[in-house]
Amino acid sequence: MTTGVPLSTAPRRRSRARTFLPLAVAAWLILEIWLLSLVAGAVGGPAVAALLAGGIVLGAVVIKRAGRRAFKNLANTFQQAQQGQQPAPQQPGGGNGLTMLAGLLLMLPGLLSDVVGLLLLVPPVRAWTGRRLSGSLERKMAAAPAGSFGDAFQQARIHQPDGKIVQGEVIREDGQQPPRQPGPDAGYRPPLAP
């Protein structure tokens, strides 16, 4: 059965993100360990342990406050919707996602992640980062080909070995069925797919 989708035999080109992301994570981990060893050599191990513990506590507090604020915003939005009011659109970076990310970065052990987390707690930096991320996401979504999730699943099945797709309809006739009441859904039902 052919689907009209040309199958390419050329090897897929690996994206830059998939190539450089593992290298970036490894470099970040090495830099974090190196910075912690430098600070531990300068001020001592107990001070570094206290600094890491303080980062974990501060990150937990930030995440807890952002979660409470997100729940409060959600409750206000539902209340406005029940009253028939249109909720005000949110500005990029004005949400709680980047605040929670800042708390998570503070909780991760390391000085570099703590600095990035503290920077994300500054409102102008958070707003700038939110605008950049939303603009990047909009560009990627605009460049994405049109289609639905079902199309993506079907394409994935086509590329699998023996991934045959058979269109059909299941009719069950294994017993006494109760009499149907005439109504709007009684009668012929066309198949789900062409």
Side-chain angles (χ1 to χ4, degrees), residues 2 17 48 60 64 66 69 77 84 100 122-123 126 137 162 176 182 193:
T2 61
V48 171
K64 186 176 180 180
R69 194 173 8 182
T77 302
M100 287 187 180
V122 177
R126 189 172 54 239
L137 183 64
D162 295 337
Q176 186 92 0

Side-chain angles (χ1 to χ4, degrees), residues 32-54:
E32 288 281 17
I33 292 170
W34 179 69
L35 284 173
L36 281 174
S37 65
L38 280 179
V39 171
V43 296
V48 171
L51 185 66
L52 292 177

Side-chain angles (χ1 to χ4, degrees), residues 1 4 9 13 16 40 48 51 55-56 79 93 95-96 109 115 123 128 140 146 152 164 169 181 184-186 188 193:
M1 178 176 178
T9 58
R13 192 171 150 242
R16 284 187 177 176
V48 171
L51 185 66
I56 290 172
Q79 187 177 24
N96 296 305
V115 168
W128 179 81
K140 286 185 188 245
K164 297 176 184 171
E169 183 177 345
Q181 299 292 332
D185 62 343
Y188 174 74

Side-chain angles (χ1 to χ4, degrees), residues 149-164:
F149 181 75
D151 293 338
F153 179 73
Q154 188 172 6
Q155 293 296 328
R157 287 285 311 265
I158 289 170
H159 295 294
Q160 295 294 324
D162 295 337
K164 297 176 184 171

Side-chain angles (χ1 to χ4, degrees), residues 103-115:
L104 180 67
L105 287 171
L106 285 169
M107 290 179 78
L108 288 176
L111 300 175
L112 194 60
S113 62
D114 289 348
V115 168

Side-chain angles (χ1 to χ4, degrees), residues 26 53 83 85 97 114 121 150 174 191 194:
Q83 294 173 354
Q85 300 173 354
D114 289 348
L121 289 178
D174 61 346

Side-chain angles (χ1 to χ4, degrees), residues 3-189:
T3 59
V5 177
L7 298 176
S8 174
T9 58
R12 286 188 168 185
R13 192 171 150 242
R14 195 171 176 156
S15 71
R16 284 187 177 176
R18 288 186 64 188
T19 301
F20 292 115
L21 187 63
L23 295 173
V25 169
W28 172 71
L29 287 173
I30 291 170
L31 185 61
E32 288 281 17
I33 292 170
W34 179 69
L35 284 173
L36 281 174
S37 65
L38 280 179
V39 171
V43 296
V48 171
L51 185 66
L52 292 177
I56 290 172
V57 170
L58 180 63
V61 168
V62 167
I63 288 176
K64 186 176 180 180
R65 287 190 62 199
R68 283 184 179 168
R69 194 173 8 182
F71 187 75
K72 181 181 167 189
N73 290 344
L74 181 65
N76 287 341
T77 302
F78 278 134
Q79 187 177 24
Q80 289 174 354
Q82 285 178 346
Q83 294 173 354
Q85 300 173 354
Q86 184 70 16
Q90 193 140 18
Q91 297 180 4
N96 296 305
L98 288 175
T99 306
M100 287 187 180
L101 178 64
L104 180 67
L105 287 171
L106 285 169
M107 290 179 78
L108 288 176
L111 300 175
L112 194 60
S113 62
D114 289 348
V115 168
V116 174
L118 288 173
L119 282 175
L120 280 176
L121 289 178
V122 177
V125 174
R126 189 172 54 239
W128 179 81
T129 305
R131 284 192 305 269
R132 295 282 303 219
L133 288 175
S134 67
S136 173
L137 183 64
E138 286 175 5
R139 283 192 301 276
K140 286 185 188 245
M141 289 182 69
S148 66
F149 181 75
D151 293 338
F153 179 73
Q154 188 172 6
Q155 293 296 328
R157 287 285 311 265
I158 289 170
H159 295 294
Q160 295 294 324
D162 295 337
K164 297 176 184 171
I165 299 174
V166 178
Q167 302 293 337
E169 183 177 345
V170 176
I171 300 173
R172 188 173 188 156
E173 297 179 349
D174 61 346
Q176 186 92 0
Q177 295 181 353
R180 288 189 159 180
Q181 299 292 332
D185 62 343
Y188 174 74
R189 292 186 182 183

